[in-house]
Amino acid sequence: MTVRLLVAAYALLGVTAVLAAGEPEFAITLRDRQFTPAEIRIPAGVKVKLVVDNQDAGPEEFDSHALNREKVIPGKTKATIFIGPLAPGRYPFIGEFNATTARGEVVAQ
Amino acid sequence: MKARAAAAALLIAATYGPSAYADPDDYVALPGVEYGERELELRFGTATKSGEDRASAASLAFGYGLTPWWATEVYAKYNRSGSEATRFDAIEWENKFEIGEPGQYFVDMGFLVELEWANDRAEGYELRIGPLFQKDFGLVQTNFNFLLERHFRSDEHEVTELGYQWQVKYRWRPEFEFGLQGFGDVGKWNDWDPHDVQTHTVGPAIFGKFPLGGQQVFKYNAAVLFKASSAAADRTLRAQLEYEF
């Protein structure tokens, strides 16, 4: 019975998945293995869209344990990353392939 | 009671052919795809059940993120029963398709398609497909997958069976996360077996990852699973190690 309920609940979640639309958008640029801006302020409690423009030649992986996101961005391409709604706080992220220089934080407030 | 359950499980296996029960080294598939990432993977599992030989399985795999939404992986699978020699079991081709971006929809979704060529021709081919779901609640990540499995061109009666996998984990630190995992099979997809012949297991699990510099990452997860139904293995130890580069 429990299994049937779990299956039904997750099926319902899948079926009722609603298309996201109209999220506030924030741009981040990766150039010379550094994120600009390194601190992105977003509204707390709202889902937002980060558009990361990798202007370097090589790939980078946007990685954030706090945000539970890992996204490889090939060189000279852009990637969209959805985050939130977040509780107020600071959420660090790194470029995993260049973790010493590519660092930043999302600040939800 | 246990003897009756075991007899019923054997009867069903004999009636319906190759079992869809999860291999001891099965893992919880995640809906995400990492584009351009290559990985070497080792899976291992061993299960014990009172009155039966220990069943062990291991898999070696190479995977690649072909596109932002499609990852493919090829496994060489081995198994061992009791004191018998380890034997080559099958080649498996796994394909995972990510639907949308993580966080884009209310739940993150993917779809799994696995095709297995058994070394024992009598087992025919095995197809396993199904949706993968993930939902995060802050630092708590939940996953649930239900998978349909069917053998083709096997010597036995072919039926489509339903299995599931789930996990809940607390993402404490990148190097160490902890939670629970569960696996189960309920029998024919539209005519479930009686509960005492279904297999359900659940137990604690740990997870983590260690960056090795550049594009190299080591990931692990492991669980000790206990039976939650009489037909399941008493204890299963399973682990998955991944080297991404």
Side-chain angles (χ1 to χ4, degrees):
Chain A
M1 187 61 185
T2 307
V3 175
R4 284 174 195 267
L5 283 174
L6 275 171
V7 169
Y10 255 83
L12 191 63
L13 284 176
V15 169
T16 57
V18 180
L19 285 173
E23 295 87 1
E25 192 172 307
F26 296 84
I28 304 174
T29 299
L30 178 72
R31 187 186 305 146
D32 298 331
R33 304 184 196 93
Q34 290 187 322
F35 290 113
T36 307
E39 185 176 287
I40 300 100
R41 294 183 179 274
I42 67 167
V46 175
K47 181 157 79 170
V48 306
K49 190 162 46 170
L50 304 181
V51 179
V52 185
D53 181 3
N54 180 4
Q55 297 183 354
D56 286 338
E60 184 54 275
E61 182 172 70
F62 180 96
D63 186 295
S64 172
H65 185 260
L67 297 166
N68 206 14
R69 291 289 178 269
E70 286 181 280
K71 178 84 176 175
V72 175
I73 310 166
K76 306 294 184 189
T77 66
K78 291 182 182 179
T80 299
I81 297 163
F82 293 86
I83 60 171
L86 297 174
R90 303 179 78 87
Y91 300 83
F93 61 86
I94 60 169
E96 191 170 74
F97 301 163
N98 299 282
T100 52
T101 56
R103 310 182 76 86
E105 274 191 326
V106 171
V107 181
Q109 56 188 15
Chain B
M1 188 63 192
K2 283 184 178 176
R4 281 216 306 268
L10 283 173
L11 179 63
I12 283 172
T15 305
Y16 294 118
S19 169
Y21 297 161
D23 293 332
D25 67 338
D26 204 4
Y27 74 108
V28 178
L30 306 179
V33 166
E34 295 183 50
Y35 176 40
E37 198 161 75
R38 294 162 292 179
E39 74 173 31
L40 294 172
E41 178 180 335
L42 171 65
R43 291 186 348 218
F44 171 79
T46 185
T48 56
K49 184 168 175 58
S50 177
E52 296 182 11
D53 287 337
R54 174 186 292 273
S56 303
S59 307
L60 280 168
F62 175 75
Y64 184 61
L66 284 169
T67 76
W69 48 269
W70 176 21
T72 191
E73 195 160 0
V74 177
Y75 292 83
K77 302 177 74 171
Y78 296 83
N79 65 20
R80 179 178 180 175
S81 179
S83 58
E84 292 176 8
T86 300
R87 69 183 186 97
F88 173 61
D89 180 38
I91 291 286
E92 182 183 284
W93 181 30
E94 177 189 282
N95 291 278
K96 194 164 64 175
F97 304 96
E98 185 174 356
I99 301 169
E101 293 290 334
Q104 184 173 6
Y105 305 124
F106 180 66
V107 290
D108 300 335
M109 292 175 285
F111 199 85
L112 187 75
V113 179
E114 288 177 357
L115 189 58
E116 183 177 298
W117 290 265
N119 187 42
D120 179 356
R121 294 298 178 86
E123 292 181 20
Y125 305 101
E126 180 187 305
L127 178 67
R128 188 160 77 149
I129 62 171
L132 315 173
F133 298 106
Q134 178 171 316
K135 177 68 178 171
D136 295 348
F137 301 93
L139 288 175
V140 176
Q141 175 183 318
T142 68
N143 292 86
F144 195 97
N145 309 325
F146 29 154
L147 302 169
L148 295 169
E149 183 173 313
R150 185 182 177 95
H151 287 256
F152 296 91
R153 298 187 184 178
S154 73
D155 287 354
E156 306 293 343
H157 184 56
E158 295 165 359
V159 296
T160 303
E161 297 183 279
L162 175 65
Y164 67 87
Q165 317 166 328
W166 63 268
Q167 68 181 18
V168 177
K169 67 174 181 177
Y170 181 72
R171 299 184 306 100
W172 183 45
R173 304 168 59 94
E175 306 82 18
F176 187 77
E177 303 171 334
F178 54 90
L180 293 170
Q181 283 187 336
F183 298 82
D185 295 280
V186 299
K188 192 176 178 184
W189 74 279
N190 59 350
D191 183 18
W192 292 10
D193 293 336
H195 186 265
D196 59 354
V197 289
Q198 296 177 14
T199 59
H200 302 282
T201 59
V202 61
I206 56 173
F207 315 78
K209 83 172 204 180
F210 295 89
L212 302 175
Q215 300 186 27
Q216 302 176 82
V217 176
F218 171 73
K219 291 182 176 176
Y220 73 90
N221 74 82
V224 182
L225 305 166
F226 300 94
K227 70 176 180 181
S229 64
S230 54
D234 297 333
R235 273 181 303 279
T236 302
L237 171 65
R238 57 151 303 278
Q240 179 184 28
L241 308 175
E242 296 170 283
Y243 168 63
E244 297 177 352
F245 59 103

